[in-house]
């Protein structure tokens, strides 16, 4: 059986692509960020350390749900900025249930996507739990947190392996520097080819 992993660098459009593919391919989608947002709203955090713990919990929940689908031999889609710290839990499940993962990696021009990252954090649509680190819910909205410098943005990507991650199956690299030029139908076709090849093995 197979699953699809939508991963890549911050602000590359993972949620948008994952939601599109989930609808187009009629697959259940599990998003780590969506789980985190629920935990932020239900539990909240009072420090950076507590926020990190909620991130770990959301990853564990994501893998737990994925395992239940694997037990039923169901295809599904995971959306997360998979990195080296995420590998062990995922690879253990893929091996245990004999799943092959199609990895869709979103990347592009770092400078352009960094600007998108900054704009996203300033957007009122962005969940505040992703933006602030010291306390959520905020008792009062303070001055916006200082954005991370471009150099640290790039170091985070390269050191954590965000755009080099791949699992045990085919990998599709998608350039989302200019989202308007992304051919969604071609992406679906490429995934369909990978799915058919995997199911024929």
């Amino acid at each position: 059986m197979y699953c699809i992993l939508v991963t890549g660098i911050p602000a590359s459009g993972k949620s948008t692509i994952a939601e599109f593919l989930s609808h187009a391919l009629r697959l259940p989608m599990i998003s780590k960020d969506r789980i985190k947002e629920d935990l932020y709203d239900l539990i909240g955090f009072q420090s950076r350390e507590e926020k990190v713990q909620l991130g770990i919990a959301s990853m564990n929940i994501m893998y737990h749900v994925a395992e239940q689908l694997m037990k039923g031999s169901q295809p599904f889609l995971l959306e997360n900025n998979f990195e080296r710290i995420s590998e062990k839990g995922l690879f253990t499940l893929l091996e245990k249930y004999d799943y092959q993962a199609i990895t869709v990696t979103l990347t592009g021009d770092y400078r352009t996507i960094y600007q998108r990252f900054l704009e996203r954090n300033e957007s009122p649509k962005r969940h505040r739990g992703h933006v602030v680190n010291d306390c959520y819910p905020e008792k009062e909205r303070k001055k916006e947190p200082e954005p991370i410098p471009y150099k640290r943005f790039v170091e985070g990507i390269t050191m954590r392996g965000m755009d080099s991650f791949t699992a045990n199956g085919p990998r599709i690299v998608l350039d989302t520097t200019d989202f308007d030029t992304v051919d969604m139908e071609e992406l679906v076709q490429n995934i369909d080819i990978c799915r058919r090849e995997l199911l024929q093995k």
Side-chain angles (χ1 to χ4, degrees):
M1 186 48 67
Y2 74 94
C3 62
I4 297 171
L5 312 176
V6 177
T7 186
I9 68 177
S12 57
K14 293 184 294 295
S15 296
T16 301
I17 294 292
E19 287 172 6
F20 171 82
L21 291 176
S22 174
H23 177 75
L25 301 171
R26 299 183 179 181
L27 293 177
M29 180 184 81
I30 312 162
S31 166
K32 180 186 171 186
D33 271 2
R34 185 67 185 84
I35 296 170
K36 275 202 295 190
E37 289 166 10
D38 283 342
L39 295 179
Y40 291 158
D41 290 337
L42 290 169
I43 301 172
F45 55 84
Q46 300 299 315
S47 66
R48 173 65 180 168
E49 290 73 23
E50 289 184 5
K51 181 178 180 179
V52 169
Q53 289 302 309
L54 292 181
I56 294 170
S58 64
M59 187 167 68
N60 291 340
I61 292 168
M62 179 180 68
Y63 286 158
H64 173 73
V65 176
E67 183 170 18
Q68 305 317 302
L69 293 169
M70 287 176 167
K71 287 178 179 178
S73 299
Q74 298 296 312
F76 58 89
L77 188 153
L78 297 183
E79 184 257 314
N80 180 33
N81 59 340
F82 288 100
E83 49 189 286
R84 294 185 182 96
I85 197 172
S86 314
E87 289 181 359
K88 185 176 179 181
L90 175 64
F91 291 170
T92 297
L93 287 177
L94 294 175
E95 183 177 358
K96 180 177 180 180
Y97 293 97
D98 195 22
Y99 265 65
Q100 292 267 292
I102 302 168
T103 304
V104 180
T105 303
L106 277 54
T107 188
D109 177 72
Y110 286 177
R111 181 69 69 176
T112 301
I113 294 179
Y114 173 69
Q115 291 303 317
R116 201 153 73 211
F117 170 80
L118 297 180
E119 292 167 7
R120 183 183 69 176
N121 278 357
E122 294 174 358
S123 169
K125 295 181 180 179
R126 182 67 168 162
H127 192 288
R128 290 292 291 175
H130 295 301
V131 180
V132 298
N133 287 319
D134 57 346
C135 180
Y136 181 86
E138 300 163 285
K139 295 178 177 63
E140 58 180 75
R141 186 156 175 161
K142 303 175 185 177
K143 183 181 177 182
E144 293 300 309
E146 195 69 28
I148 67 169
Y150 174 68
K151 182 179 178 182
R152 209 170 82 194
F153 175 79
V154 174
E155 286 174 348
I157 293 169
T158 54
M159 291 174 64
R160 293 158 69 184
M162 289 183 185
D163 65 353
S164 60
F165 175 88
T166 189
N168 61 350
R171 182 172 185 242
I172 298 169
V173 178
L174 192 66
D175 188 324
T176 61
T177 303
D178 182 352
F179 226 88
D180 292 336
T181 65
V182 176
D183 191 332
M184 296 289 212
E185 295 307 318
E186 182 181 12
L187 174 61
V188 171
Q189 290 171 9
N190 288 338
I191 290 175
D192 226 18
I193 291 169
C194 293
R195 288 199 301 175
R196 289 198 298 270
E197 290 176 349
L198 292 177
L199 292 173
Q200 286 172 2
K201 288 184 177 180

